[in-house]
Amino acid sequence: MKTYLYFVRHGIAPFSLELERSGGASLNDQGKSDAKRVAELLRDEGIDVIVSSSYNRARETLAPLAELLQKEIILYNELIERPIGTLNEAVSDEELLIGIEQSFIDIDYCMPEGETTRQSQERAIPIIMRLLSEYKGKKIALGTHGNIMTIILNYFDSNYGFEFWKGTSKPDIYKLEFQDNQLSHVQRLWSPA
């Protein structure tokens, strides 16, 4: 029996350390507009359940779909974005990129006060397995983030790593087909405008 997870990476939202420590930023105008496109793209997919990271930007990206389908969004703190390094002080984009790349080479690597790929998998994968079990044979839309999405994919297929992450957009949609708990196919549904 096939189960489908639709990973919906959130739309554009301004980043700040302060907001990230308290639920994340909300979508900007472009992000809100893109969230409506996400809803239109997924409206006829037969989505049974909508779940999301508890961060604002992930939840808000799925809000138009939830409204359209008249479904609630079930939130999971375990699916929030992975902090590769500290959320207490700014780190340059270059340092972050180097850190993210290294974290896919060595899944036990993280920057100071960050979370490793392994630690991220240990908190997120039990939720994914639970969803695959509880909603077996169903279609689940999941509001997510670029890094944790890639980390989850990496758990099922090590070919998903830094280069895949770099190629994703905000928002983005990937349809994952599972046969029981085995990932059997991934298809990108989003076409950046």
Side-chain angles (χ1 to χ4, degrees):
M1 181 178 296
K2 293 178 181 174
T3 305
Y4 295 90
L5 270 179
Y6 292 76
F7 275 173
V8 180
R9 185 183 187 194
H10 65 81
I12 297 170
F15 180 82
S16 84
L17 291 172
E18 183 178 345
L19 289 172
E20 199 67 7
R21 289 190 299 266
S22 61
S26 290
L27 297 175
N28 66 12
D29 289 342
Q30 181 64 53
K32 290 174 186 172
S33 174
D34 286 339
K36 292 175 184 169
R37 282 184 57 209
V38 166
E40 286 304 313
L41 200 114
L42 295 179
R43 78 178 305 155
D44 297 323
E45 286 289 320
I47 301 295
D48 298 293
V49 181
I50 302 175
V51 302
S52 178
S53 152
S54 58
Y55 277 3
N56 295 329
R57 60 192 181 270
R59 179 182 43 78
E60 290 170 5
T61 300
L62 285 179
L65 178 66
E67 186 176 324
L68 191 66
L69 301 180
Q70 297 184 327
K71 295 186 182 296
E72 70 172 310
I73 301 174
I74 303 165
L75 302 178
Y76 289 95
N77 290 328
E78 296 90 345
L79 299 177
I80 63 170
E81 182 60 302
R82 179 265 298 261
I84 181 64
T86 184
L87 293 177
N88 294 316
E89 60 184 64
V91 178
S92 74
D93 289 346
E94 184 180 339
E95 286 176 289
L96 280 176
L97 281 176
I98 292 167
I100 292 168
E101 183 173 22
Q102 184 61 34
S103 76
F104 284 106
I105 295 167
D106 174 2
I107 68 167
D108 292 310
Y109 171 83
C110 68
M111 298 167 69
E113 299 179 43
E115 184 179 50
T116 69
T117 294
R118 186 186 309 274
Q119 289 169 329
S120 298
Q121 288 173 341
E122 286 172 351
R123 71 169 157 87
I125 295 302
I127 299 299
I128 299 301
M129 293 305 193
R130 185 165 123 200
L131 293 171
L132 291 173
S133 174
E134 285 182 16
Y135 303 109
K136 188 172 187 170
K138 305 273 188 194
K139 294 182 175 182
I140 307 153
L142 193 155
T144 190
H145 310 269
N147 222 287
I148 193 70
M149 174 179 72
T150 306
I151 286 166
I152 293 167
L153 280 164
N154 177 268
Y155 174 84
F156 292 102
D157 182 342
S158 62
N159 290 314
Y160 290 94
F162 181 71
E163 292 302 322
F164 170 81
W165 171 80
K166 272 189 9 185
T168 62
S169 61
K170 293 180 186 176
D172 215 334
I173 305 173
Y174 293 87
K175 180 179 180 180
L176 283 63
E177 178 182 297
F178 286 87
Q179 186 70 43
D180 295 315
N181 290 342
Q182 300 298 313
L183 179 63
S184 55
H185 185 70
V186 178
Q187 176 187 2
R188 188 180 194 187
L189 300 182
W190 182 260
S191 298

